Amino acid sequence: MSQRTLVLVKPDGVQRGLTGQILARIEAKGYTLSQLKLVNASREVLEQHYAEHQGKPFFEPLVQFMLSGPVVAAVVEGDRVIEGFRILAGATEPTTAAPGTIRGDLGRDWGEKVQKNLVHGSDSPESAEREIGIWFG
Ligand code: CMP
């Protein structure tokens, strides 16, 4: 059941020079990069991307963080890639994310800095198609 998902390397990952390591982990697991770009996201794109979080207390800090530097956006393909990438990424909070995951191995932020969790991955096939449309048109 080949799927595709939208992966973002967030500004903390790009700024720390972890893009290569993160993409290498995705490829090493057996997934394929089918589209890839470095982009300075606009507020409009981010408000669409995070539409489900509008009104939450962390929404504006999250958008500000995502505007703070370039992001790497990728379309990643593979068998059950949506679920598989989210497991590879690890839990939302890097401090407590399991070792062996991207967030658990490479991050340590928590609390109000939890938006610095290195990566985003779509959470369902519907989200993936919606998010790929937002980032890649
Ligand atoms: P993600 O699950 O990819 O998409 C929503 C993001 O919001 C999440 O990653 C975190 O980066 C961020 N986030 C979620 N919960 C909080 C929170 N309580 N405070 C700040 N940021 C959050």
Side-chain angles (χ1 to χ4, degrees):
M1 184 184 57
S2 192
Q3 292 180 325
R4 50 186 206 157
T5 192
L6 187 279
V7 170
L8 300 176
V9 181
K10 293 183 176 186
D12 55 330
V14 175
Q15 198 267 329
R16 290 177 56 204
L18 297 174
T19 302
Q21 280 192 55
I22 290 169
L23 297 180
R25 285 173 178 239
I26 292 169
E27 293 187 305
K29 185 151 171 106
Y31 300 136
T32 304
L33 299 170
S34 61
Q35 299 192 70
L36 183 66
K37 66 180 178 182
L38 183 72
V39 56
N40 288 293
S42 66
R43 172 173 279 276
E44 186 187 359
V45 159
L46 294 168
E47 288 186 348
Q48 288 179 45
H49 178 80
Y50 287 122
E52 69 180 287
H53 298 302
Q54 288 217 23
K56 294 182 184 171
F58 62 82
F59 178 76
E60 191 55 34
L62 177 61
V63 169
Q64 287 299 328
F65 167 64
M66 293 295 288
L67 288 168
S68 69
V71 168
V72 169
V75 179
V76 180
E77 296 190 1
D79 194 31
R80 291 180 69 189
V81 66
I82 294 171
E83 181 183 11
F85 176 75
R86 288 177 70 85
I87 292 170
L88 188 62
T92 300
E93 182 186 74
T95 292
T96 52
T101 66
I102 292 168
R103 290 165 173 161
D105 285 349
L106 304 177
R108 52 164 176 68
D109 285 297
W110 62 284
E112 65 185 20
K113 292 185 184 165
V114 76
Q115 68 263 36
K116 291 189 175 181
N117 61 358
L118 296 164
V119 289
H120 164 85
S122 309
D123 64 7
S124 69
E126 297 72 28
S127 299
E129 292 312 308
R130 190 182 72 84
E131 293 171 2
I132 290 167
I134 291 167
W135 290 88
F136 287 94

